[in-house]
Amino acid sequence: FVGIYFAYKINRAEQVPAITEKRSDFKGYDWKLILRSLFPTLLFAVGAGFIIPFIGLFFVNVYHMTTSVFSFLCFLTAILVTVVSMYVPKVKESFGYDRAVPMSQIFAIVALLGMATTQYYSHLSVAVYVAAFFYLLRQPLMSMAVPMILEVTMKYVG
């Protein structure tokens, strides 16, 4: 609710051009551009829908982690996502969209694969820490790309 205060403090008038024609027939839109810009978001949604629900089961079944410990791990991940999201504009300035988005996603996928491969040496005591490290690394990296993709989508589609 603190964000409401800051939202009202914004003193920027947005100029939205008036729509002079009725577009109920959907013919006036550039559908190729819209679908091309929505494709990465669709991939994120499908991939997250398949993977995220099973990560908790991975830690419970492979490492016999209790739900309270996994909840604490999720809490740490949420904090990391918040911190990393503050650096998204800096990353975008440094690398640009064309490198920042794919690289953050590639590193997130590598972290996911690294987490999954810990099952092969789960009998070692260090494996759970390696898996937790990769889990803590994956979520902020994958979440970093989302604001950049949305910004590009809004810039091109309008």
Side-chain angles (χ1 to χ4, degrees):
F1 291 109
V2 175
I4 295 171
Y5 168 76
F6 292 106
Y8 281 112
K9 296 289 284 181
I10 296 174
N11 191 13
R12 190 169 107 187
E14 186 176 1
Q15 296 179 359
V16 179
I19 297 174
T20 57
E21 62 202 47
K22 189 174 180 181
R23 290 189 177 187
S24 61
D25 59 356
F26 297 109
K27 291 181 184 175
Y29 296 105
D30 187 359
W31 285 106
K32 281 176 113 174
L33 180 63
I34 291 171
L35 293 174
R36 201 170 118 208
S37 64
L38 289 177
F39 185 71
T41 306
L42 179 67
L43 282 178
F44 280 150
V46 170
F50 283 132
I51 293 172
I52 299 299
F54 297 108
I55 290 179
L57 293 174
F58 172 77
F59 280 102
V60 168
N61 290 331
V62 175
Y63 297 109
H64 309 291
M65 189 178 281
T66 63
T67 55
S68 60
V69 173
F70 184 70
S71 296
F72 182 71
L73 195 62
C74 291
F75 168 72
L76 291 177
T77 304
I79 290 174
L80 283 174
V81 167
T82 304
V83 170
V84 167
S85 67
M86 302 292 184
Y87 290 101
V88 169
K90 192 67 97 173
V91 170
K92 181 190 71 169
E93 286 176 17
S94 299
F95 300 105
Y97 294 119
D98 55 341
R99 287 192 299 173
V101 172
M103 291 310 291
S104 64
Q105 292 173 342
I106 287 169
F107 289 141
I109 291 170
V110 168
L112 183 66
L113 292 174
M115 184 184 74
T117 57
T118 61
Q119 184 173 4
Y120 295 122
Y121 54 94
S122 62
H123 58 279
L124 300 175
S125 61
V126 73
V128 68
Y129 298 110
V130 173
F133 170 76
F134 281 131
Y135 177 69
L136 289 171
L137 190 65
R138 188 206 70 84
Q139 187 66 28
L141 285 171
M142 194 56 87
S143 297
M144 180 187 288
V146 175
M148 290 187 279
I149 289 174
L150 291 176
E151 187 176 348
V152 169
T153 302
M154 293 305 291
K155 188 179 286 186
Y156 288 126
V157 175

